[in-house]
Short mmCIF file of all heavy atoms in Angstrom, two decimals:
data_model
loop_
_atom_site.label_atom_id
_atom_site.label_comp_id
_atom_site.label_asym_id
_atom_site.label_seq_id
_atom_site.Cartn_x
_atom_site.Cartn_y
_atom_site.Cartn_z
N MET P 1 16.95 34.70 14.16
CA MET P 1 17.47 33.81 13.15
C MET P 1 17.27 32.35 13.59
O MET P 1 16.92 31.52 12.78
CB MET P 1 18.97 34.13 12.95
CG MET P 1 19.58 33.33 11.86
SD MET P 1 18.83 33.82 10.30
CE MET P 1 19.71 32.87 9.18
N ARG P 2 17.51 32.09 14.85
CA ARG P 2 17.37 30.73 15.36
C ARG P 2 15.93 30.24 15.22
O ARG P 2 15.69 29.09 14.89
CB ARG P 2 17.81 30.70 16.81
CG ARG P 2 17.80 29.33 17.41
CD ARG P 2 18.27 29.37 18.83
NE ARG P 2 19.61 28.81 18.89
CZ ARG P 2 20.29 28.65 19.99
NH1 ARG P 2 19.81 29.07 21.13
NH2 ARG P 2 21.47 28.09 19.98
N LEU P 3 14.96 31.13 15.45
CA LEU P 3 13.56 30.78 15.33
C LEU P 3 13.20 30.42 13.90
O LEU P 3 12.45 29.47 13.66
CB LEU P 3 12.68 31.94 15.82
CG LEU P 3 11.18 31.72 15.78
CD1 LEU P 3 10.80 30.54 16.68
CD2 LEU P 3 10.45 32.96 16.22
N VAL P 4 13.75 31.13 12.94
CA VAL P 4 13.49 30.86 11.53
C VAL P 4 14.00 29.46 11.17
O VAL P 4 13.32 28.70 10.48
CB VAL P 4 14.14 31.93 10.63
CG1 VAL P 4 14.04 31.55 9.17
CG2 VAL P 4 13.51 33.28 10.89
N VAL P 5 15.18 29.12 11.65
CA VAL P 5 15.75 27.81 11.37
C VAL P 5 14.90 26.71 12.00
O VAL P 5 14.59 25.70 11.35
CB VAL P 5 17.21 27.74 11.88
CG1 VAL P 5 17.76 26.33 11.75
CG2 VAL P 5 18.08 28.72 11.11
N LEU P 6 14.48 26.90 13.24
CA LEU P 6 13.66 25.90 13.92
C LEU P 6 12.32 25.73 13.21
O LEU P 6 11.84 24.61 13.05
CB LEU P 6 13.44 26.28 15.38
CG LEU P 6 14.66 26.15 16.28
CD1 LEU P 6 14.33 26.68 17.67
CD2 LEU P 6 15.12 24.72 16.35
N CYS P 7 11.72 26.82 12.78
CA CYS P 7 10.44 26.74 12.07
C CYS P 7 10.59 26.01 10.74
O CYS P 7 9.74 25.22 10.35
CB CYS P 7 9.86 28.12 11.84
SG CYS P 7 9.26 28.90 13.35
N SER P 8 11.68 26.26 10.04
CA SER P 8 11.88 25.59 8.75
C SER P 8 12.08 24.09 8.95
O SER P 8 11.60 23.29 8.15
CB SER P 8 13.06 26.20 7.99
OG SER P 8 14.26 26.00 8.70
N PHE P 9 12.77 23.69 10.02
CA PHE P 9 12.91 22.26 10.31
C PHE P 9 11.56 21.63 10.66
O PHE P 9 11.26 20.51 10.24
CB PHE P 9 13.90 22.01 11.44
CG PHE P 9 15.33 22.07 11.02
CD1 PHE P 9 16.21 22.94 11.64
CD2 PHE P 9 15.81 21.28 9.99
CE1 PHE P 9 17.53 23.01 11.26
CE2 PHE P 9 17.13 21.34 9.59
CZ PHE P 9 18.00 22.22 10.22
N ALA P 10 10.74 22.35 11.41
CA ALA P 10 9.43 21.83 11.78
C ALA P 10 8.56 21.64 10.54
O ALA P 10 7.88 20.63 10.40
CB ALA P 10 8.75 22.78 12.76
N VAL P 11 8.59 22.57 9.64
CA VAL P 11 7.80 22.46 8.40
C VAL P 11 8.32 21.30 7.56
O VAL P 11 7.55 20.51 7.02
CB VAL P 11 7.83 23.79 7.61
CG1 VAL P 11 7.25 23.61 6.22
CG2 VAL P 11 7.08 24.86 8.38
N ALA P 12 9.63 21.19 7.44
CA ALA P 12 10.22 20.11 6.64
C ALA P 12 9.88 18.74 7.24
O ALA P 12 9.67 17.77 6.50
CB ALA P 12 11.73 20.28 6.55
N ALA P 13 9.82 18.65 8.54
CA ALA P 13 9.51 17.38 9.19
C ALA P 13 8.07 16.95 8.94
O ALA P 13 7.76 15.76 8.91
CB ALA P 13 9.76 17.48 10.69
N LEU P 14 7.17 17.90 8.73
CA LEU P 14 5.76 17.58 8.53
C LEU P 14 5.39 17.34 7.08
O LEU P 14 4.28 16.91 6.81
CB LEU P 14 4.89 18.71 9.10
CG LEU P 14 4.96 18.89 10.61
CD1 LEU P 14 4.16 20.12 11.01
CD2 LEU P 14 4.44 17.67 11.32
N LEU P 15 6.27 17.61 6.15
CA LEU P 15 5.92 17.48 4.73
C LEU P 15 5.47 16.07 4.33
O LEU P 15 4.48 15.94 3.63
CB LEU P 15 7.08 17.94 3.85
CG LEU P 15 7.26 19.45 3.78
CD1 LEU P 15 8.48 19.79 2.93
CD2 LEU P 15 6.03 20.13 3.24
N PRO P 16 6.14 14.99 4.74
CA PRO P 16 5.66 13.67 4.32
C PRO P 16 4.25 13.38 4.83
O PRO P 16 3.44 12.83 4.11
CB PRO P 16 6.66 12.69 4.94
CG PRO P 16 7.87 13.49 5.20
CD PRO P 16 7.40 14.90 5.46
N VAL P 17 3.95 13.79 6.05
CA VAL P 17 2.63 13.55 6.61
C VAL P 17 1.60 14.45 5.94
O VAL P 17 0.50 14.03 5.62
CB VAL P 17 2.63 13.78 8.14
CG1 VAL P 17 1.23 13.65 8.70
CG2 VAL P 17 3.56 12.79 8.80
N ALA P 18 1.96 15.69 5.71
CA ALA P 18 1.03 16.64 5.10
C ALA P 18 0.65 16.19 3.69
O ALA P 18 -0.51 16.28 3.29
CB ALA P 18 1.63 18.02 5.07
N SER P 19 1.60 15.68 2.93
CA SER P 19 1.28 15.26 1.58
C SER P 19 0.34 14.06 1.59
O SER P 19 -0.53 13.94 0.75
CB SER P 19 2.56 14.93 0.80
OG SER P 19 3.21 13.83 1.38
N PHE P 20 0.50 13.17 2.58
CA PHE P 20 -0.40 12.04 2.68
C PHE P 20 -1.77 12.48 3.18
O PHE P 20 -2.79 12.01 2.73
CB PHE P 20 0.17 10.96 3.61
CG PHE P 20 -0.65 9.72 3.62
CD1 PHE P 20 -0.58 8.83 2.58
CD2 PHE P 20 -1.53 9.44 4.66
CE1 PHE P 20 -1.35 7.69 2.57
CE2 PHE P 20 -2.30 8.31 4.65
CZ PHE P 20 -2.21 7.42 3.61
N ALA P 21 -1.77 13.44 4.11
CA ALA P 21 -3.02 13.91 4.69
C ALA P 21 -3.87 14.67 3.68
O ALA P 21 -5.08 14.78 3.85
CB ALA P 21 -2.73 14.78 5.91
N GLU P 22 -3.25 15.22 2.64
CA GLU P 22 -4.00 15.94 1.62
C GLU P 22 -4.94 15.02 0.85
O GLU P 22 -5.97 15.46 0.37
CB GLU P 22 -3.05 16.64 0.66
CG GLU P 22 -2.34 17.82 1.27
CD GLU P 22 -1.30 18.41 0.35
OE1 GLU P 22 -1.16 17.93 -0.80
OE2 GLU P 22 -0.62 19.35 0.78
N SER P 23 -4.56 13.76 0.71
CA SER P 23 -5.44 12.84 0.03
C SER P 23 -6.59 12.48 0.97
O SER P 23 -6.50 12.62 2.17
CB SER P 23 -4.67 11.58 -0.38
OG SER P 23 -4.22 10.89 0.76
N ALA P 24 -7.68 12.04 0.37
CA ALA P 24 -8.85 11.71 1.18
C ALA P 24 -8.55 10.51 2.07
O ALA P 24 -7.76 9.64 1.72
CB ALA P 24 -10.02 11.39 0.26
N SER P 25 -9.17 10.47 3.24
CA SER P 25 -8.98 9.33 4.11
C SER P 25 -9.61 8.10 3.45
O SER P 25 -10.41 8.21 2.52
CB SER P 25 -9.63 9.59 5.47
OG SER P 25 -11.03 9.59 5.35
N CYS P 26 -9.25 6.95 3.94
CA CYS P 26 -9.76 5.70 3.35
C CYS P 26 -11.29 5.64 3.41
O CYS P 26 -11.93 5.30 2.43
CB CYS P 26 -9.15 4.51 4.08
SG CYS P 26 -7.37 4.36 3.88
N ASN P 27 -11.84 5.99 4.57
CA ASN P 27 -13.29 5.95 4.71
C ASN P 27 -13.97 6.96 3.78
O ASN P 27 -14.99 6.65 3.17
CB ASN P 27 -13.70 6.21 6.16
CG ASN P 27 -13.38 5.03 7.05
OD1 ASN P 27 -13.45 3.88 6.63
ND2 ASN P 27 -13.02 5.31 8.28
N ALA P 28 -13.41 8.15 3.67
CA ALA P 28 -13.99 9.18 2.80
C ALA P 28 -13.91 8.74 1.34
O ALA P 28 -14.85 8.94 0.57
CB ALA P 28 -13.28 10.50 3.00
N ALA P 29 -12.79 8.13 0.97
CA ALA P 29 -12.63 7.66 -0.40
C ALA P 29 -13.62 6.54 -0.71
O ALA P 29 -14.19 6.49 -1.80
CB ALA P 29 -11.21 7.18 -0.64
N ALA P 30 -13.86 5.65 0.25
CA ALA P 30 -14.83 4.57 0.05
C ALA P 30 -16.24 5.12 -0.11
O ALA P 30 -17.01 4.65 -0.95
CB ALA P 30 -14.77 3.59 1.22
N MET P 31 -16.57 6.14 0.69
CA MET P 31 -17.89 6.76 0.58
C MET P 31 -18.03 7.49 -0.75
O MET P 31 -19.08 7.44 -1.40
CB MET P 31 -18.14 7.72 1.74
CG MET P 31 -18.40 6.98 3.04
SD MET P 31 -18.72 8.00 4.51
CE MET P 31 -18.99 9.61 3.96
N GLU P 32 -16.96 8.16 -1.18
CA GLU P 32 -16.98 8.88 -2.45
C GLU P 32 -17.20 7.94 -3.62
O GLU P 32 -17.90 8.26 -4.57
CB GLU P 32 -15.66 9.64 -2.62
CG GLU P 32 -15.60 10.50 -3.84
CD GLU P 32 -14.28 11.25 -3.93
OE1 GLU P 32 -13.96 11.99 -2.97
OE2 GLU P 32 -13.57 11.08 -4.93
N LYS P 33 -16.60 6.75 -3.52
CA LYS P 33 -16.75 5.74 -4.58
C LYS P 33 -18.05 4.95 -4.44
O LYS P 33 -18.33 4.09 -5.25
CB LYS P 33 -15.56 4.78 -4.56
CG LYS P 33 -14.26 5.44 -4.94
CD LYS P 33 -13.13 4.43 -4.91
CE LYS P 33 -11.84 5.12 -5.28
NZ LYS P 33 -10.91 4.22 -5.95
N LYS P 34 -18.79 5.24 -3.36
CA LYS P 34 -20.06 4.57 -3.08
C LYS P 34 -19.90 3.05 -3.02
O LYS P 34 -20.69 2.30 -3.57
CB LYS P 34 -21.11 4.97 -4.11
CG LYS P 34 -21.40 6.45 -4.10
CD LYS P 34 -22.41 6.86 -5.13
CE LYS P 34 -22.57 8.37 -5.07
NZ LYS P 34 -23.40 8.89 -6.11
N LEU P 35 -18.86 2.63 -2.30
CA LEU P 35 -18.61 1.20 -2.13
C LEU P 35 -19.42 0.66 -0.97
O LEU P 35 -19.70 1.37 -0.01
CB LEU P 35 -17.12 0.95 -1.86
CG LEU P 35 -16.16 1.36 -2.98
CD1 LEU P 35 -14.73 1.16 -2.51
CD2 LEU P 35 -16.42 0.56 -4.25
N ALA P 36 -19.78 -0.61 -1.06
CA ALA P 36 -20.52 -1.27 0.00
C ALA P 36 -20.15 -2.75 0.02
O ALA P 36 -19.66 -3.29 -0.96
CB ALA P 36 -22.02 -1.11 -0.21
N GLY P 37 -20.39 -3.37 1.15
CA GLY P 37 -20.20 -4.82 1.28
C GLY P 37 -18.75 -5.23 1.13
O GLY P 37 -17.83 -4.61 1.65
N ALA P 38 -18.56 -6.31 0.36
CA ALA P 38 -17.23 -6.89 0.19
C ALA P 38 -16.29 -5.94 -0.54
O ALA P 38 -15.09 -5.90 -0.24
CB ALA P 38 -17.33 -8.21 -0.58
N ALA P 39 -16.81 -5.18 -1.48
CA ALA P 39 -15.96 -4.23 -2.21
C ALA P 39 -15.40 -3.17 -1.26
O ALA P 39 -14.22 -2.82 -1.33
CB ALA P 39 -16.75 -3.56 -3.33
N LYS P 40 -16.24 -2.68 -0.35
CA LYS P 40 -15.80 -1.68 0.61
C LYS P 40 -14.77 -2.28 1.57
O LYS P 40 -13.75 -1.66 1.86
CB LYS P 40 -16.99 -1.13 1.40
CG LYS P 40 -16.60 -0.06 2.40
CD LYS P 40 -17.81 0.51 3.12
CE LYS P 40 -17.42 1.55 4.14
NZ LYS P 40 -18.57 2.08 4.86
N THR P 41 -15.04 -3.48 2.04
CA THR P 41 -14.12 -4.16 2.95
C THR P 41 -12.76 -4.35 2.31
O THR P 41 -11.72 -4.07 2.92
CB THR P 41 -14.70 -5.52 3.39
OG1 THR P 41 -15.97 -5.30 4.00
CG2 THR P 41 -13.77 -6.23 4.36
N SER P 42 -12.76 -4.81 1.06
CA SER P 42 -11.52 -5.03 0.34
C SER P 42 -10.77 -3.71 0.12
O SER P 42 -9.55 -3.64 0.32
CB SER P 42 -11.82 -5.68 -1.01
OG SER P 42 -10.64 -5.83 -1.76
N PHE P 43 -11.49 -2.68 -0.28
CA PHE P 43 -10.88 -1.37 -0.51
C PHE P 43 -10.27 -0.83 0.78
O PHE P 43 -9.13 -0.34 0.78
CB PHE P 43 -11.92 -0.39 -1.05
CG PHE P 43 -11.39 1.01 -1.21
CD1 PHE P 43 -10.65 1.35 -2.31
CD2 PHE P 43 -11.63 1.97 -0.24
CE1 PHE P 43 -10.14 2.63 -2.46
CE2 PHE P 43 -11.14 3.24 -0.37
CZ PHE P 43 -10.40 3.59 -1.49
N LEU P 44 -11.01 -0.90 1.88
CA LEU P 44 -10.51 -0.38 3.16
C LEU P 44 -9.29 -1.16 3.63
O LEU P 44 -8.36 -0.58 4.20
CB LEU P 44 -11.61 -0.41 4.22
CG LEU P 44 -12.72 0.62 4.04
CD1 LEU P 44 -13.81 0.42 5.08
CD2 LEU P 44 -12.18 2.03 4.11
N LYS P 45 -9.28 -2.45 3.41
CA LYS P 45 -8.15 -3.28 3.82
C LYS P 45 -6.89 -2.87 3.07
O LYS P 45 -5.83 -2.67 3.66
CB LYS P 45 -8.46 -4.76 3.57
CG LYS P 45 -7.39 -5.70 4.05
CD LYS P 45 -7.82 -7.15 3.87
CE LYS P 45 -6.74 -8.09 4.34
NZ LYS P 45 -7.12 -9.49 4.15
N LYS P 46 -7.02 -2.70 1.74
CA LYS P 46 -5.87 -2.30 0.94
C LYS P 46 -5.43 -0.88 1.28
O LYS P 46 -4.24 -0.60 1.41
CB LYS P 46 -6.18 -2.39 -0.55
CG LYS P 46 -4.99 -2.03 -1.44
CD LYS P 46 -5.34 -2.03 -2.89
CE LYS P 46 -4.17 -1.71 -3.79
NZ LYS P 46 -3.31 -0.64 -3.38
N CYS P 47 -6.38 0.01 1.43
CA CYS P 47 -6.07 1.41 1.75
C CYS P 47 -5.36 1.51 3.10
O CYS P 47 -4.38 2.25 3.24
CB CYS P 47 -7.36 2.23 1.74
SG CYS P 47 -7.11 4.00 1.95
N THR P 48 -5.83 0.78 4.09
CA THR P 48 -5.22 0.78 5.41
C THR P 48 -3.79 0.23 5.35
O THR P 48 -2.88 0.77 5.99
CB THR P 48 -6.07 -0.04 6.39
OG1 THR P 48 -7.39 0.52 6.43
CG2 THR P 48 -5.48 -0.05 7.78
N LYS P 49 -3.59 -0.81 4.56
CA LYS P 49 -2.26 -1.41 4.41
C LYS P 49 -1.31 -0.42 3.74
O LYS P 49 -0.17 -0.25 4.17
CB LYS P 49 -2.36 -2.68 3.58
CG LYS P 49 -1.06 -3.41 3.41
CD LYS P 49 -1.25 -4.69 2.61
CE LYS P 49 0.06 -5.38 2.37
NZ LYS P 49 -0.09 -6.56 1.52
N ASP P 50 -1.80 0.27 2.71
CA ASP P 50 -0.98 1.27 2.02
C ASP P 50 -0.65 2.44 2.95
O ASP P 50 0.46 2.97 2.93
CB ASP P 50 -1.69 1.78 0.77
CG ASP P 50 -1.82 0.72 -0.32
OD1 ASP P 50 -1.13 -0.32 -0.24
OD2 ASP P 50 -2.63 0.93 -1.24
N ALA P 51 -1.62 2.86 3.75
CA ALA P 51 -1.41 3.95 4.70
C ALA P 51 -0.35 3.57 5.73
O ALA P 51 0.51 4.39 6.07
CB ALA P 51 -2.72 4.32 5.39
N ALA P 52 -0.41 2.34 6.21
CA ALA P 52 0.56 1.88 7.19
C ALA P 52 1.97 1.90 6.60
O ALA P 52 2.93 2.32 7.27
CB ALA P 52 0.21 0.48 7.68
N ALA P 53 2.10 1.47 5.36
CA ALA P 53 3.41 1.48 4.70
C ALA P 53 3.93 2.91 4.54
O ALA P 53 5.11 3.18 4.77
CB ALA P 53 3.32 0.78 3.34
N THR P 54 3.04 3.81 4.15
CA THR P 54 3.42 5.21 3.99
C THR P 54 3.85 5.82 5.32
O THR P 54 4.85 6.55 5.39
CB THR P 54 2.25 6.02 3.39
OG1 THR P 54 1.88 5.44 2.14
CG2 THR P 54 2.63 7.47 3.17
N CYS P 55 3.11 5.52 6.36
CA CYS P 55 3.45 6.06 7.69
C CYS P 55 4.76 5.49 8.21
O CYS P 55 5.57 6.21 8.81
CB CYS P 55 2.32 5.78 8.68
SG CYS P 55 0.81 6.69 8.30
N ASP P 56 5.01 4.21 7.96
CA ASP P 56 6.27 3.60 8.38
C ASP P 56 7.44 4.23 7.64
O ASP P 56 8.50 4.47 8.22
CB ASP P 56 6.25 2.08 8.13
CG ASP P 56 5.37 1.34 9.11
OD1 ASP P 56 5.07 1.90 10.19
OD2 ASP P 56 4.99 0.19 8.80
N THR P 57 7.24 4.51 6.36
CA THR P 57 8.29 5.15 5.57
C THR P 57 8.57 6.55 6.10
O THR P 57 9.73 6.96 6.23
CB THR P 57 7.88 5.23 4.09
OG1 THR P 57 7.64 3.91 3.61
CG2 THR P 57 8.95 5.88 3.24
N ALA P 58 7.51 7.29 6.42
CA ALA P 58 7.69 8.64 6.96
C ALA P 58 8.41 8.60 8.30
O ALA P 58 9.27 9.44 8.57
CB ALA P 58 6.33 9.32 7.11
N ALA P 59 8.09 7.62 9.14
CA ALA P 59 8.77 7.48 10.43
C ALA P 59 10.25 7.15 10.24
O ALA P 59 11.11 7.66 10.96
CB ALA P 59 8.09 6.41 11.28
N ALA P 60 10.54 6.32 9.25
CA ALA P 60 11.94 5.96 8.97
C ALA P 60 12.71 7.18 8.46
O ALA P 60 13.88 7.38 8.82
CB ALA P 60 12.00 4.83 7.96
N GLU P 61 12.06 7.98 7.61
CA GLU P 61 12.72 9.19 7.10
C GLU P 61 13.04 10.17 8.22
O GLU P 61 14.03 10.87 8.16
CB GLU P 61 11.83 9.87 6.07
CG GLU P 61 11.74 9.14 4.75
CD GLU P 61 10.74 9.77 3.80
OE1 GLU P 61 10.07 10.75 4.16
OE2 GLU P 61 10.63 9.25 2.67
N LYS P 62 12.18 10.18 9.24
CA LYS P 62 12.40 11.06 10.39
C LYS P 62 13.36 10.44 11.41
O LYS P 62 13.67 11.04 12.42
CB LYS P 62 11.07 11.37 11.08
CG LYS P 62 10.16 12.22 10.25
CD LYS P 62 8.89 12.45 11.02
CE LYS P 62 8.00 13.40 10.28
NZ LYS P 62 7.36 14.34 11.15
N LYS P 63 13.75 9.20 11.14
CA LYS P 63 14.66 8.46 12.03
C LYS P 63 14.08 8.33 13.44
O LYS P 63 14.79 8.48 14.44
CB LYS P 63 16.04 9.11 12.05
CG LYS P 63 16.69 9.10 10.68
CD LYS P 63 18.03 9.75 10.68
CE LYS P 63 18.56 9.72 9.25
NZ LYS P 63 19.75 10.50 9.07
N LEU P 64 12.78 8.03 13.50
CA LEU P 64 12.13 7.83 14.78
C LEU P 64 12.30 6.39 15.23
O LEU P 64 12.40 5.47 14.41
CB LEU P 64 10.64 8.15 14.67
CG LEU P 64 10.27 9.58 14.30
CD1 LEU P 64 8.76 9.71 14.12
CD2 LEU P 64 10.75 10.55 15.37
N SER P 65 12.30 6.19 16.54
CA SER P 65 12.35 4.83 17.08
C SER P 65 11.65 4.81 18.42
O SER P 65 11.39 5.85 19.02
CB SER P 65 13.80 4.36 17.22
OG SER P 65 14.47 5.17 18.17
N GLY P 66 11.31 3.62 18.87
CA GLY P 66 10.69 3.45 20.17
C GLY P 66 9.32 4.08 20.26
O GLY P 66 8.51 3.99 19.35
N ALA P 67 9.06 4.72 21.39
CA ALA P 67 7.76 5.31 21.66
C ALA P 67 7.42 6.43 20.68
O ALA P 67 6.26 6.60 20.30
CB ALA P 67 7.70 5.84 23.09
N ALA P 68 8.41 7.19 20.25
CA ALA P 68 8.16 8.27 19.29
C ALA P 68 7.66 7.71 17.97
O ALA P 68 6.72 8.25 17.36
CB ALA P 68 9.42 9.09 19.08
N LYS P 69 8.26 6.62 17.52
CA LYS P 69 7.85 5.99 16.27
C LYS P 69 6.44 5.42 16.41
O LYS P 69 5.60 5.59 15.52
CB LYS P 69 8.81 4.88 15.87
CG LYS P 69 8.42 4.18 14.59
CD LYS P 69 9.39 3.09 14.21
CE LYS P 69 8.93 2.38 12.94
NZ LYS P 69 9.82 1.28 12.60
N THR P 70 6.17 4.77 17.51
CA THR P 70 4.85 4.19 17.75
C THR P 70 3.78 5.26 17.76
O THR P 70 2.74 5.13 17.12
CB THR P 70 4.84 3.41 19.07
OG1 THR P 70 5.84 2.39 19.03
CG2 THR P 70 3.49 2.78 19.32
N SER P 71 4.03 6.33 18.49
CA SER P 71 3.07 7.42 18.59
C SER P 71 2.83 8.07 17.22
O SER P 71 1.68 8.30 16.82
CB SER P 71 3.57 8.46 19.58
OG SER P 71 2.70 9.57 19.62
N PHE P 72 3.91 8.35 16.51
CA PHE P 72 3.80 8.97 15.19
C PHE P 72 3.02 8.06 14.23
O PHE P 72 2.12 8.52 13.52
CB PHE P 72 5.20 9.25 14.63
CG PHE P 72 5.17 9.73 13.21
CD1 PHE P 72 4.92 11.07 12.93
CD2 PHE P 72 5.39 8.86 12.16
CE1 PHE P 72 4.89 11.52 11.62
CE2 PHE P 72 5.36 9.30 10.85
CZ PHE P 72 5.11 10.64 10.58
N THR P 73 3.35 6.78 14.22
CA THR P 73 2.72 5.84 13.31
C THR P 73 1.23 5.68 13.62
O THR P 73 0.41 5.65 12.70
CB THR P 73 3.43 4.47 13.36
OG1 THR P 73 4.82 4.68 13.09
CG2 THR P 73 2.88 3.52 12.34
N LYS P 74 0.88 5.60 14.90
CA LYS P 74 -0.53 5.47 15.28
C LYS P 74 -1.33 6.68 14.82
O LYS P 74 -2.42 6.54 14.25
CB LYS P 74 -0.67 5.28 16.78
CG LYS P 74 -0.32 3.88 17.26
CD LYS P 74 -0.37 3.77 18.77
CE LYS P 74 -1.78 3.72 19.27
NZ LYS P 74 -1.86 3.46 20.71
N LYS P 75 -0.81 7.88 15.04
CA LYS P 75 -1.51 9.09 14.64
C LYS P 75 -1.61 9.18 13.11
O LYS P 75 -2.65 9.51 12.57
CB LYS P 75 -0.83 10.34 15.18
CG LYS P 75 -1.61 11.61 14.83
CD LYS P 75 -0.93 12.84 15.30
CE LYS P 75 -1.71 14.10 15.01
NZ LYS P 75 -2.39 14.21 13.75
N CYS P 76 -0.53 8.87 12.46
CA CYS P 76 -0.52 8.91 11.00
C CYS P 76 -1.55 7.94 10.42
O CYS P 76 -2.32 8.31 9.52
CB CYS P 76 0.89 8.58 10.50
SG CYS P 76 1.09 8.60 8.72
N ASN P 77 -1.58 6.72 10.94
CA ASN P 77 -2.57 5.74 10.47
C ASN P 77 -3.99 6.18 10.77
O ASN P 77 -4.88 6.05 9.93
CB ASN P 77 -2.31 4.38 11.12
CG ASN P 77 -1.12 3.68 10.54
OD1 ASN P 77 -0.75 3.88 9.39
ND2 ASN P 77 -0.47 2.84 11.32
N ARG P 78 -4.22 6.72 11.96
CA ARG P 78 -5.55 7.17 12.35
C ARG P 78 -6.02 8.29 11.41
O ARG P 78 -7.17 8.29 10.96
CB ARG P 78 -5.54 7.63 13.80
CG ARG P 78 -6.90 7.99 14.35
CD ARG P 78 -6.88 8.33 15.84
NE ARG P 78 -5.85 9.31 16.17
CZ ARG P 78 -4.82 9.11 16.97
NH1 ARG P 78 -4.66 7.94 17.53
NH2 ARG P 78 -3.94 10.06 17.22
N ASP P 79 -5.13 9.20 11.09
CA ASP P 79 -5.47 10.30 10.19
C ASP P 79 -5.74 9.80 8.77
O ASP P 79 -6.62 10.29 8.08
CB ASP P 79 -4.37 11.35 10.16
CG ASP P 79 -4.22 12.10 11.48
OD1 ASP P 79 -5.16 12.02 12.32
OD2 ASP P 79 -3.19 12.75 11.67
N ALA P 80 -4.96 8.81 8.34
CA ALA P 80 -5.10 8.30 6.98
C ALA P 80 -6.37 7.48 6.80
O ALA P 80 -7.02 7.56 5.76
CB ALA P 80 -3.88 7.45 6.62
N VAL P 81 -6.72 6.71 7.79
CA VAL P 81 -7.90 5.84 7.67
C VAL P 81 -9.17 6.65 7.86
O VAL P 81 -10.16 6.42 7.19
CB VAL P 81 -7.82 4.66 8.67
CG1 VAL P 81 -9.10 3.85 8.67
CG2 VAL P 81 -6.65 3.77 8.34
N GLY P 82 -9.15 7.60 8.75
CA GLY P 82 -10.29 8.50 8.94
C GLY P 82 -11.30 8.03 9.89
O GLY P 82 -11.97 7.18 10.07
#
């Protein structure tokens, strides 16, 4: 029973990241849209900024702080940007 509870908490903790990870990464989305030059740069800048905000929100929901928050946010951003 204890294992079932722990597994359900682990799955619930990953839901915000999983839902963001389901969308295409910023680089993949830029390639899909066939962007180049200034348009690609602008798109990647906005996408990266949005990803950072989403990752910060997910970290806040998990009540992370310090090194755990930094590690989580870096990985989340890296996954989102691609």
Side-chain angles (χ1 to χ4, degrees):
M1 184 67 177
R2 184 179 253 183
L3 181 61
V4 172
V5 173
L6 289 175
C7 289
S8 64
F9 281 124
V11 170
L14 294 175
L15 285 177
V17 175
S19 64
F20 186 76
E22 288 174 3
S23 64
S25 70
C26 295
N27 288 326
M31 287 180 12
E32 184 178 302
K33 293 181 181 211
K34 299 179 183 173
L35 297 175
K40 181 177 179 181
T41 303
S42 176
F43 175 81
L44 288 175
K45 184 175 179 181
K46 182 184 182 317
C47 186
T48 302
K49 183 178 176 184
D50 292 345
T54 302
C55 292
D56 287 341
T57 301
E61 288 174 357
K62 292 180 175 220
K63 298 179 182 171
L64 297 175
S65 64
K69 179 180 178 183
T70 302
S71 176
F72 173 82
T73 305
K74 284 175 75 174
K75 183 182 183 321
C76 181
N77 286 333
R78 186 175 51 243
D79 292 345
V81 173

